[in-house]
Amino acid sequence: MQSPLHIIYHSSEGGSKDGEKQSYALSCPRLLVLVGKEAEVTIIEEFVGEKGEFYWSNAVGEFFIEEHGRICHNYVQNQAREAVHIKQTCVAQKQCSSYELVEAAIGSKLNRHNIHIQQLGPDTSTKMSSFLLAGQRQLQDLHSRLILSHPRGFARQLHKCIVMHSSGHGVFDGNVKVNRYAQQTDAGQLSRSLLLAPRATVSVKPNLQIIADDVKCSHGAAISDLEEEQIFYFQARGIDPQTARSTLVFSFGAEILQQFKNKNLQQRAEKTVMEFLQSEGAIKTSIQEA
């Protein structure tokens, strides 16, 4: 595979604020990707912008994958905390094709990602790994829909969310539909959310619809603070509770961030997440030294 195609969307100008009224500068970028037979490509989409600006990014990404084609899609949303970010991702996969999405949503005060994926042939593979980080007055929202209509489809979805503030809110609405002729499908969906503040909120709805009868499918969801047994495990090895908690919080999201194919992107995303966690008081500053 050749070097990745790295696309950076940078919002440099915003609207204005007059008292309680705000105006936003709107941009509507569109990305169209066609992958031919037996071709493969790694695509990085990175959304950034100037701090303190009021802008609204309304983006669309369309991916069409021919037989035996492969797309590795890395997507990072790190826009200004005053911004609004809406993203639509549509994927159509033909026989024996592969699509893998790894995403991290960190910035903006309102973030919504809509994902719609269709498997249009047998022996097709789809993987989605998402990490959402919600701080003060942030809404991180992920809606996904995956439709499997042919035999021997494979699908895995992992959703992780950390809410660090009582005014933060995470949303996950994930739908996997296995139609009648999608026999011998192997599909799994898991949502895990970490709440680090009183009244921090997540709304989670994993949904698995199965019409076929010869399948191996599972889904589940877990919402909690850190478990005391995990912290005790660190303490038993001489690590203080604060460092233990900081390490566990960061590693919760690092499982997703380490899936980025580009090491530079991975390191920058990890640094951004760590700085955000520190600014919200979720981890201690010396975690790297610890």
Side-chain angles (χ1 to χ4, degrees):
M1 184 181 294
Q2 297 180 349
S3 299
L5 176 63
H6 194 161
I7 305 165
I8 299 177
Y9 306 84
H10 187 275
S11 299
S12 59
E13 295 184 6
S16 60
K17 183 176 181 180
D18 182 12
E20 296 296 325
K21 296 182 179 180
Q22 297 175 356
S23 62
Y24 289 83
L26 176 64
S27 62
C28 300
R30 179 186 180 222
L31 174 67
L32 174 62
V33 179
L34 307 175
V35 175
K37 289 185 178 181
E38 301 183 1
E40 56 182 304
V41 64
T42 296
I43 296 175
I44 300 173
E45 285 191 287
E46 191 171 1
F47 290 82
V48 296
E50 297 295 328
K51 295 182 179 180
E53 295 289 350
F54 297 94
Y55 53 83
W56 179 354
S57 176
N58 187 34
V60 174
E62 297 175 274
F63 302 86
F64 297 90
I65 313 173
E66 295 291 337
E67 296 178 7
H68 297 275
R70 181 170 180 260
I71 288 182
C72 179
H73 182 198
N74 293 173
Y75 161 54
V76 177
Q77 188 274 110
N78 185 29
Q79 298 195 299
R81 290 288 295 271
E82 298 81 5
V84 174
H85 182 83
I86 308 294
K87 178 76 157 64
Q88 178 81 28
T89 298
C90 299
V91 183
Q93 298 180 244
K94 290 191 177 180
Q95 178 177 349
C96 298
S97 65
S98 174
Y99 173 76
E100 181 179 359
L101 169 67
V102 182
E103 74 167 299
I106 306 164
S108 77
K109 71 174 184 180
L110 170 59
N111 175 73
R112 170 73 176 259
H113 189 193
N114 300 309
I115 307 172
H116 187 274
I117 302 176
Q118 285 188 288
Q119 292 189 355
L120 302 178
D123 302 294
T124 306
S125 174
T126 305
K127 297 180 181 179
M128 293 178 282
S129 300
S130 305
F131 173 53
L132 283 64
L133 190 59
Q136 186 174 5
R137 294 190 299 276
Q138 273 188 295
L139 171 62
Q140 299 286 4
D141 188 349
L142 175 65
H143 280 58
S144 65
R145 181 171 175 80
L146 170 61
I147 302 174
L148 300 94
S149 302
H150 299 271
R152 299 178 300 279
F154 178 86
R156 288 290 184 271
Q157 182 174 23
L158 174 61
H159 162 264
K160 284 194 165 187
C161 179
I162 299 178
V163 184
M164 302 172 291
H165 194 274
S166 58
S167 61
H169 190 187
V171 176
F172 173 65
D173 185 353
N175 184 281
V176 178
K177 186 176 183 181
V178 183
N179 285 324
R180 178 175 300 176
Y181 298 108
Q183 304 295 340
Q184 299 179 335
T185 287
D186 183 355
Q189 182 187 63
L190 177 62
S191 172
R192 296 182 61 197
S193 299
L194 196 59
L195 305 183
L196 302 181
R199 298 184 301 281
T201 306
V202 290
S203 303
V204 177
K205 191 181 77 170
N207 188 359
L208 184 58
Q209 297 176 291
I210 305 173
I211 302 176
D213 53 13
D214 180 14
V215 299
K216 183 173 69 173
C217 298
S218 64
H219 72 148
I223 302 171
S224 69
D225 195 346
L226 293 175
E227 297 180 3
E228 293 299 327
E229 291 82 358
Q230 294 176 315
I231 298 176
F232 177 77
Y233 178 88
F234 278 80
Q235 289 183 274
R237 284 151 181 78
I239 300 175
D240 65 273
Q242 188 177 11
T243 300
R245 187 174 181 85
S246 298
T247 303
L248 289 168
V249 169
F250 179 75
S251 62
F252 182 86
E255 178 185 358
I256 304 293
L257 303 178
Q258 290 173 0
Q259 296 183 36
F260 284 127
K261 302 300 182 183
N262 184 280
K263 288 297 180 182
N264 182 50
L265 178 68
Q266 174 190 326
Q267 292 171 358
R268 287 190 289 109
E270 289 179 345
K271 181 180 178 182
T272 300
V273 168
M274 185 173 295
E275 290 174 348
F276 193 4
L277 291 169
Q278 291 171 359
S279 68
E280 295 281 338
I283 65 174
K284 60 185 294 187
T285 306
S286 60
I287 182 174
Q288 288 180 305
E289 300 175 359

